Amino acid sequence: MGYEETNGVLRHPEGRRAVFLGDFIDRGPEIRRTHEIVRGMVEAGSALAVMGNHELNALHFTTPDPVLREEDGGPKWLRSHSESHRRQFVETVRQLGPDLEAWLAWIRTLAVWMKTFDSEGVELRFVHAAWMETKMRRLWEEPTDSGEFCFTGPFEAPVLTQAGLVDFGRRKDPVSGKPALGWKSKEKFLTGPEKGLPAGVSYLDKEGCERTSIRVKWWRDPAPPDGARSSRLIRRA
């Protein structure tokens, strides 16, 4: 793509900027190198980056709930330490080693989505899974049950607050019992909209976990072209 390495950072001679859309961890043999490339470019101004669901999972996996505890008195993590979750995260832990905390701290600085303009004034939107502005604006505008906001910064590049990180990791508020504001909404734009499968139907994903829902290609119009629709109706008649 024409990028050249200068002083350890990839830059484009024409001043272009790459955009990274998250999921820098949990996959492949070069997690550390991936982080070094992305972070170096972002900090040098030659790239933009937003958080993916795997980055959020890592933050939740390593963050205890500030209020809730397990029955044995131990910490209740915002992402459970189930066998499947441990298996997903273990390679990241192994490759980043003693630098894991430093990398997690950098991940916390990433915007959850981003809106900007190109050199010709065309609006550009960057998000890991699905751009659903109504839900995103509600999360940005409304406080959680604690009275704190999920994000700091402008809507165009919001960064999670500590309250937002917790709200994204809880199914419901422990005091009010109401569903957490961030829990369901973040699934849409960080994981992608899903559709439940019929009762009794499931499949195993590539990691061997059973799934009872599938992700939806939200960007596609579900209606067939007019001609195809008409022909199907004629056959039914």
Side-chain angles (χ1 to χ4, degrees), residues 127-138:
V127 68
H128 180 68
W131 189 273
M132 309 185 82
E133 187 152 335
T134 300
K135 294 181 182 296
M136 292 154 68
R137 280 199 176 275
R138 184 188 174 202

Side-chain angles (χ1 to χ4, degrees), residues 4-194:
E4 300 171 354
E5 189 167 341
T6 304
N7 296 325
V9 176
L10 289 169
R11 307 173 191 268
H12 197 279
E14 297 178 9
R16 297 178 186 174
R17 286 193 295 178
V19 181
F20 297 105
L21 301 179
D23 281 6
F24 313 127
I25 62 176
D26 297 341
R27 296 287 188 273
E30 296 290 348
I31 294 172
R32 175 182 288 273
R33 181 58 181 148
T34 300
H35 266 266
E36 290 171 347
I37 291 172
V38 174
R39 181 174 179 176
M41 293 179 70
V42 169
E43 293 180 346
S46 62
L48 302 173
V50 296
M51 185 184 297
N53 62 307
H54 279 261
E55 281 74 46
L56 182 63
N57 288 346
L59 294 175
H60 282 159
F61 190 89
T62 55
T63 303
D65 190 290
V67 176
L68 302 178
R69 309 286 292 180
E70 295 288 2
E71 292 183 359
D72 62 3
K76 184 176 181 63
W77 302 95
L78 292 176
R79 181 172 173 81
S80 74
H81 287 191
S82 66
E83 180 56 34
S84 62
H85 291 167
R86 288 178 182 275
R87 187 166 63 245
Q88 186 180 77
F89 193 44
V90 66
E91 192 60 21
T92 296
V93 174
R94 186 188 71 80
Q95 291 189 38
L96 297 182
D99 298 324
L100 177 64
E101 289 299 321
W103 286 112
L104 290 175
W106 177 73
I107 286 172
R108 280 296 307 273
T109 69
L110 294 176
V112 180
W113 63 75
M114 193 174 294
K115 180 190 286 191
T116 187
F117 295 88
D118 68 9
S119 59
E120 298 178 353
V122 176
E123 184 177 276
L124 304 175
R125 299 174 176 182
F126 307 120
V127 68
H128 180 68
W131 189 273
M132 309 185 82
E133 187 152 335
T134 300
K135 294 181 182 296
M136 292 154 68
R137 280 199 176 275
R138 184 188 174 202
L139 280 174
W140 182 73
E141 293 172 353
E142 295 185 20
T144 65
D145 277 11
S146 68
E148 300 174 272
F149 287 89
C150 287
F151 298 110
T152 184
F155 176 79
E156 288 74 18
V159 176
L160 277 173
T161 62
Q162 184 63 23
L165 180 67
V166 172
D167 203 64
F168 274 36
R170 286 176 173 164
R171 291 181 181 270
K172 60 183 180 181
D173 184 89
V175 177
S176 69
K178 295 190 301 184
L181 182 64
W183 171 262
K184 271 298 184 183
S185 295
K186 57 94 175 176
E187 289 292 313
K188 306 297 184 185
F189 55 82
L190 278 176
T191 303
E194 295 191 355

Side-chain angles (χ1 to χ4, degrees), residues 199-220:
V201 177
S202 65
Y203 69 97
L204 297 180
D205 65 15
K206 59 187 176 184
E207 294 179 337
C209 297
E210 185 178 20
R211 302 287 186 179
T212 57
S213 62
I214 55 174
R215 290 180 184 169
V216 177
K217 293 182 178 180
W218 58 272
W219 60 91
R220 295 183 60 179

